[in-house]
Amino acid sequence: ISLRNEQKIMHEALLAMLHDRLYQGCRYYIKKGSISDSDMKNMEYLYNGYHSLGGNGTGTELFERVKNLELKGED
């Protein structure tokens, strides 16, 4: 396997892991109906990495829904 192919595989794997974590987190907070400020910052951090690597689609759609949730105090 060439270094270039290995980098592509690692990029795709990292993007998949970020998508999964973003997807699971978003679904949790959407079901909950609210999100704390610190949890929102964590979701933003995940989303920014996901988006910077070229992620879009369902991750972006779910993140936009989370951004519209009610902000609540820490759990």
Side-chain angles (χ1 to χ4, degrees), residues 14-24 50 56-59:
L14 181 56
L15 185 58
M17 288 189 294
L18 284 169
H19 180 272
D20 179 64
R21 184 61 191 100
L22 184 64
Y23 180 85
Q24 295 300 324
Y50 167 78
N56 55 30
T58 56

Side-chain angles (χ1 to χ4, degrees), residues 3-68:
L3 180 59
R4 191 165 197 61
N5 282 340
E6 186 175 346
Q7 288 174 334
K8 184 176 187 239
I9 291 166
M10 294 297 286
H11 176 270
E12 290 173 0
L14 181 56
L15 185 58
M17 288 189 294
L18 284 169
H19 180 272
D20 179 64
R21 184 61 191 100
L22 184 64
Y23 180 85
Q24 295 300 324
C26 286
R27 287 183 45 98
Y28 170 81
Y29 293 114
I30 290 167
K31 184 176 182 180
K32 186 178 175 184
S34 64
I35 189 168
S36 71
D37 186 55
S38 63
D39 289 332
M40 186 65 214
K41 286 179 180 159
N42 183 57
M43 295 305 295
E44 288 173 347
Y45 185 67
L46 285 170
Y47 178 76
N48 289 338
Y50 167 78
H51 186 72
S52 294
L53 287 172
N56 55 30
T58 56
T60 298
E61 180 183 333
L62 287 169
F63 181 66
E64 289 299 322
R65 289 175 60 190
V66 168
K67 288 189 344 186
N68 290 317

